[in-house]
């Protein structure tokens, strides 16, 4: 089950997630927040919109049918 | 890129299952793939899932089209697939072929890095701001310069 937890933090304060993920607020400037993330090396940390963009593109790439490739090779 | 020879040698490629550490982004449930040549060409290859036959992604060697292509991927990321020096890595990029094949694009932002000696791979995000998820690709002739750069 997912839940949404809302916390207020000041500069240099942190949040601990589980035992080994630390999220630290490093800088706040206008509407930009600089965040430091300490996480296990094998854990992927990505900007969400970039992850979603790549995920969608991977799905599109998977849709490549034989027909599309036949058309593609006519361009060679 | 010494490992590039490996995928061109039939005997090295057949039945060699490459294990993705995390999987293609959005396809994290599937981790085992084989790399196949597209019939009639050595430019396009396919990552074919051995766990689900519906999952296959076409890839190209980006250096063929973008000779200057040099994605910045952190050492920490590369260590997850046991790569210690750049020569150990083979890099492939996923292509997307839309209904109008002239609008083919290549994902330079999230390349697949393969450690052929260990048969490990993953899709990583390059730190280079100039690399696009949808970089137009001129298939008819190799581009001499990286247009995205």
């Amino acid at each position: 089950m997912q839940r949404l937890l809302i916390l207020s933090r000041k500069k240099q304060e942190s949040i601990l997630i589980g035992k080994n993920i630390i999220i630290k607020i490093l800088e706040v400037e206008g509407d930009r927040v600089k965040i430091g993330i300490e996480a296990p090396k094998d854990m992927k940390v990505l900007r969400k919109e970039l992850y979603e963009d790549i995920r969608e593109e991977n799905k599109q790439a998977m849709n490549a049918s034989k027909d599309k490739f036949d058309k593609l090779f006519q361009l060679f | 890129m010494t490992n590039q020879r490996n995928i061109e040698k039939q005997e090295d490629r057949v039945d060699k299952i490459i294990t993705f550490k995390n999987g293609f982004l959005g396809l994290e449930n599937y981790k085992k793939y084989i790399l196949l040549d597209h019939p009639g060409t050595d430019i396009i290859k396919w990552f074919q899932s051995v766990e689900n036959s519906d999952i296959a992604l076409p890839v190209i060697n980006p250096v063929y089209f973008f000779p200057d292509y040099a994605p910045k991927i952190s050492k920490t990321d590369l260590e997850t697939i046991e790569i210690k020096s750049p020569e150990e890595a083979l890099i492939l990029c996923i292509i997307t072929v839309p209904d109008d094949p002239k609008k083919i694009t290549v994902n330079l932002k999230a390349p697949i890095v393969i450690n052929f000696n260990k048969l490990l791979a993953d899709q990583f995000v390059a730190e280079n701001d100039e690399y696009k998820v949808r970089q137009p690709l001129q298939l008819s002739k190799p581009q001499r310069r990286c247009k995205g750069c």
Side-chain angles (χ1 to χ4, degrees):
Chain A
M1 284 287 277
Q2 298 278 355
R3 59 187 173 164
L4 177 66
L5 189 66
I6 298 167
L7 296 168
S8 286
R9 299 275 66 194
K10 289 179 182 158
K11 212 166 107 179
Q12 296 305 317
E13 289 183 338
S14 305
I15 294 167
L16 180 65
I17 300 174
K19 281 181 184 157
N20 47 17
I21 299 168
I22 298 168
I23 294 176
K24 189 172 183 179
I25 308 304
L26 299 175
E27 247 179 68
V28 184
E29 234 187 84
D31 62 355
R32 275 182 95 82
V33 180
K34 203 179 250 180
I35 295 170
I37 299 158
E38 244 186 270
K41 283 184 177 183
D42 57 353
M43 189 168 280
K44 277 209 176 180
V45 178
L46 294 171
R47 290 174 178 83
K48 187 177 171 225
E49 68 278 9
L50 184 59
Y51 172 83
E52 287 171 344
D53 197 23
I54 295 166
R55 183 186 64 189
E56 284 315 304
E57 196 57 17
N58 283 348
K59 273 191 199 150
Q60 288 300 317
M62 255 177 54
N63 283 334
S65 62
K66 189 187 174 295
D67 179 49
K68 283 182 191 170
F69 270 88
D70 288 346
K71 272 199 242 165
L72 178 70
F73 281 110
Q74 288 166 13
L75 297 178
F76 272 81
Chain B
M1 293 224 178
T2 49
N3 285 316
Q4 194 176 339
R5 259 176 276 130
N6 288 348
I7 57 165
E8 280 154 15
K9 275 198 294 179
Q10 197 85 354
E11 65 268 29
D12 279 346
R13 200 197 60 216
V14 168
D15 293 329
K16 281 211 166 170
I17 294 174
I18 299 164
T19 303
F20 277 59
K21 276 285 170 180
N22 291 284
F24 291 96
L25 302 187
L27 294 166
E28 287 86 354
N29 289 340
Y30 305 101
K31 301 223 172 13
K32 307 260 180 210
Y33 291 84
I34 47 171
L35 194 56
L36 304 170
D37 281 336
H38 186 86
T41 175
D42 52 5
I43 295 172
I44 297 170
K45 295 178 191 301
W46 289 82
F47 273 108
Q48 170 65 60
S49 164
V50 296
E51 296 157 309
N52 180 341
S53 59
D54 288 341
I55 292 176
L57 291 104
V59 291
I60 55 154
N61 183 341
V63 178
Y64 186 81
F65 298 96
F66 304 97
D68 303 330
Y69 183 65
K72 281 183 216 148
I73 294 161
S74 75
K75 238 178 120 182
T76 318
D77 274 349
L78 292 176
E79 278 170 8
T80 64
I81 56 168
E82 298 175 34
I83 285 177
K84 289 176 191 77
S85 64
E87 310 84 73
E88 294 177 299
L90 169 70
I91 295 174
L92 298 172
C93 288
I94 302 170
I95 52 169
T96 303
V97 187
D99 290 331
D100 177 359
K102 285 196 191 88
K103 292 181 180 154
I104 182 173
T105 60
V106 57
N107 185 346
L108 296 183
K109 185 68 181 172
I112 314 306
V113 184
I114 306 161
N115 179 344
F116 250 98
N117 295 324
K118 298 276 167 76
L119 292 173
L120 293 171
D122 222 350
Q123 183 172 29
F124 296 110
V125 176
E127 286 159 32
N128 316 54
D129 287 333
E130 69 274 27
Y131 292 156
K132 306 279 178 269
V133 173
R134 295 169 194 84
Q135 172 70 41
L137 185 65
Q138 198 87 43
L139 259 191
S140 44
K141 57 180 193 299
Q143 285 156 310
R144 281 292 142 230
R145 293 188 62 234
C146 175
K147 283 190 176 169
C149 303

